[in-house]
Amino acid sequence: MQRRISLIPQPQHLADAGGETDLAALGAIVAPDPETTGLAWLLSDLLARGTGLRLSVQAAYDGPAVRLRLEGPRPADLTTEAEAYRLRIEEGGVDLTAAHPDGIARGIATLRQLLPAGALRAAPAARPVVPRVAIEDAPRLRWRSVHVDVARHFQSKDFVLAMIDRAWLHRLNVVHLHLTDDQGWRVEVPARPKLTETASWRTETVVGHALAEAGFDGTPHGGYYTLEDLREIVAYGRERHIMIVPEINLPGHTRAVLAAYPELGTGHGKGVATTFGVFEEVLEPTEASLAFARDVFTAVAEVFDAPFIHIGGDEVPTAQWERSPVAAELMEREGIAEVRGVQAWFTRAFVEQVTALGRRVIGWDEILDGGAPTEAVVGVWRNEAYVKKAADAGHQVIASPEPYAYFDHYQSESADEPLSIHGLTPVEKVAAWEPVPPGVDPESLLGVQCQLWSEYMPFARDVEYRAFPRLAVFADVAWASPEARAASPVLERLEDHLMRLDALGIAYRPLEGPRPWQRGGTGTRGRFDRPFEEHPAE
Ligand code: ACM
C-alpha cells in the first residue's frame, strides 16, 4: 500500500525510512528527566484513549520503548532552539530528543500526527502504528499563537481547553485569551466584584450584522471564568507547553467596565454593550483608573504564569478626553501636547504596573501612536507596514496583519458563507502569506498570531468554522521554513489533515464550502457585506 506521510506544519527535515513500527510491541515510555514525566504521561493517556494501548512511564527501562530524552545545553525559553526536536522511529522503538522540554512537547505533537487519524478520537479507533521516519525539526518563528475572543461571545471553559489542545497539535505555542471588551468581562477579580456581578452580563445582543439594524434578540448573554477555572486553563496549557496570555483591554473597549464602575469614566456609562463596533467610552485618566488597572493586573498575575500580560490599547477614541476637564488638567500637568498623548500616559503607567508584577507588556499597535516604552511588545494588527514601524521604533513585534490573520473574515465570495464581520481571507490567502515583511529585521519579529474575534461567532461551532482549516495553514506559515513550504505546499497536505479534524469532531469549513447547517441562509445569520478597506500603509 502506498502510504503518504502528511504533516501540518511541515517539519524542516523528514526522511522516510519505509515500513512502520507497532507501538504495541514496545514496553514503556521512558522519561529519565523529571521535567518530561508529565509529557510522557500525557502521551501515555493519549495513546490509551485513541488506540487502547497502555504504556507505563518509567525513568529507566532496557527494552524497546518510546524514549523522551533531554540532551545538550539548555536553550533559553521562547527561542527556536527551545522548540527544536529530533524524532527517530525505528523497528526497535521511538526516540524523541530535544534540548528543552518545549521541544519534547512539539515532538509529541508530531508523533500524534504520525499515528492514524483515528488515534485522535476519544475512544480506541485505530492501531498504534507509526511510519519509520527520521525528523529534525525547529520552528521558523518563536511565537506562534491563536487569539480567542471570549469577550464578545463567552465560551465554555471546555472549549478553551479544546482550543489549547488543538493549538498543541498544530505546534503553536501560545493561546491569547481576549478576556475583556465592551460586550463583557470574563475574568474574576476578587477586589472588584462588580466586574463579575455586572460587567460579565449583557441584556441582549444585536441580531445579524451590527450595521444592518435588524433589532435585538432579547436574550441575556454572558459568563466569566472563576479563578479556579483560569488556574485549570493555565495548568492545561502548561502540561502541553502552551503559554496562555491574558488580555485586559484598557483604556478603551471599556463599556462593560464602566457599566460596573461608572466613576472610572465620565459617570454616564451606557451599560454593557449589546452591539458591536468602536465606542466612545474610555477610562478617565485618573488615579482611580490606575488603581483599578493595578487591581486587575495583580489578580491576573496571580493566576496566569506567562511572562506577558496583554494590555489591549486598540481603537481608543479621544472624543471624551477632548471634552474632559480631568484630561485637560492631566495634559497641563504632564505637558502632554496632543490628546492622543493621554493614551500614551496610560500605556506608560500600565507598563510600570505590569513590570512591577514581573511581567512584560504586549499592546496593540495603537500604543505606538503616542509613543510607548520600547520594552512593550507590539501586537500589530492593522497591516504589515506597522510591523516595520514598530520594529524600527525598537519594539519586538507579534504580527497578526488583518489581510492574512483575521479569521473573522469571510472565507469565500459565496453567498452561502455565514454572517461575518467583513473582509475576505480564504485559506489560499493564508497559505500564500510570507510572515516576515520585507525590510523587517527577523530578530524584531517575535512571531505571528491568528485572530478569532467573535462578534459573529455566538457558539463554539461558529468559532470552529472560522478557525479551521485556516488555523492549520497558519501554523504551517508560522513554523515551516520557506524551503519546506515550497517543497511541500500546505494546501496539498490539507485534505489528509481534515481527517484529523474529523476525528477530533471539529466543525471546520469543508474546502468546497459550508455544510448545509453551516450556511448563513437568507435569515439574520445570512451573509452581509460591507465595504472593507485595508488600513493604508503608513
Ligand atoms: C483589533 O482588531 N482592534 C485589534
Side-chain angles (χ1 to χ4, degrees), residues 7 18 58 61 75 78 155 219 242 285 307 459 472:
L7 301 169
Q58 308 204 10
Y61 177 82
L78 209 60
Q155 297 295 343
T219 306
I242 303 283
F459 302 110

Side-chain angles (χ1 to χ4, degrees), residues 152 247 249 253 314-315 364 366 379 381 402 406 451 453:
R152 269 54 176 268
E247 178 186 349
N249 201 350
H253 285 283
D314 62 321
E315 299 174 323
W364 297 117
E366 286 92 332
W381 68 275
E402 192 166 11
Y406 268 51
Q451 321 235 102
W453 300 105

Side-chain angles (χ1 to χ4, degrees), residues 287-342:
E287 285 306 317
S289 291
L290 296 188
F292 170 81
R294 187 179 297 109
D295 284 348
V296 174
F297 294 143
T298 302
V300 160
E302 273 171 23
V303 287
F304 289 88
D305 60 3
F308 299 87
I309 293 177
H310 198 305
I311 62 163
D314 62 321
E315 299 174 323
V316 186
T318 53
Q320 267 195 1
W321 293 334
E322 278 159 30
R323 299 193 298 268
S324 154
V326 176
E329 203 232 311
L330 173 88
M331 290 173 69
E332 171 76 29
R333 192 173 72 236
E334 302 276 329
I336 299 171
E338 291 183 44
V339 73
R340 174 56 57 206
V342 174

